[in-house]
Amino acid sequence: MPATESASSPQRVAVIGAGMVGLATAWFLQERGIQVTVLDRTAVAAGASWGNAGWLTPGITTPLPEPAVLRYGLRAVLSPSSPVYVPPRADARLLRFLAGFTRHSTAARCSDHERC
């Protein structure tokens, strides 16, 4: 028996939430022979998974503060039709965050990552 399993491993589990994470967890457990029941208060992918269209893809992740994201982000933040629109206002915390994000969104900072 592998070190990660024990003689008392559960044979039946309930997964709360039928979003991407809940369903991926249920699938993973079923692949290992565990009987799974998935519970959700509404429907499959009715919450955040519906909003993000089910993007759970670690294979295509990149560091967020990278030069291309900064260019796109500036346009998106200023566009009222964008999902990340931020209404212009004087907010010291927001300005500090944006300044730090910009400072880290350089090719030099991103060079350690293969996808930048």
Side-chain angles (χ1 to χ4, degrees):
M1 181 177 321
T4 57
E5 294 181 21
S6 70
S8 63
S9 292
Q11 297 304 305
R12 296 177 54 170
V13 299
V15 173
I16 309 300
M20 286 303 297
V21 173
L23 294 177
T25 300
W27 177 74
F28 179 86
L29 292 167
Q30 282 187 320
E31 289 290 306
R32 279 140 190 86
I34 298 171
Q35 183 180 356
V36 179
T37 300
V38 178
L39 305 170
D40 197 285
R41 69 179 153 173
T42 54
V44 172
S49 292
W50 175 86
N52 66 24
W55 274 69
L56 182 65
T57 54
I60 62 171
T61 59
T62 60
L64 188 57
E66 62 106 0
V69 170
L70 180 62
R71 287 186 296 274
Y72 167 77
L74 286 175
R75 286 192 310 269
V77 165
L78 298 173
S79 171
S81 63
S82 166
V84 293
Y85 172 65
V86 176
R89 66 183 190 280
D91 183 337
R93 290 184 338 164
L94 176 61
L95 292 175
R96 270 194 308 277
F97 168 78
L98 293 174
F101 190 88
T102 302
R103 191 173 49 256
H104 289 91
S105 296
T106 64
R109 286 281 196 161
C110 196
S111 66
D112 293 338
H113 305 283
E114 68 181 61
R115 296 186 69 94
C116 294

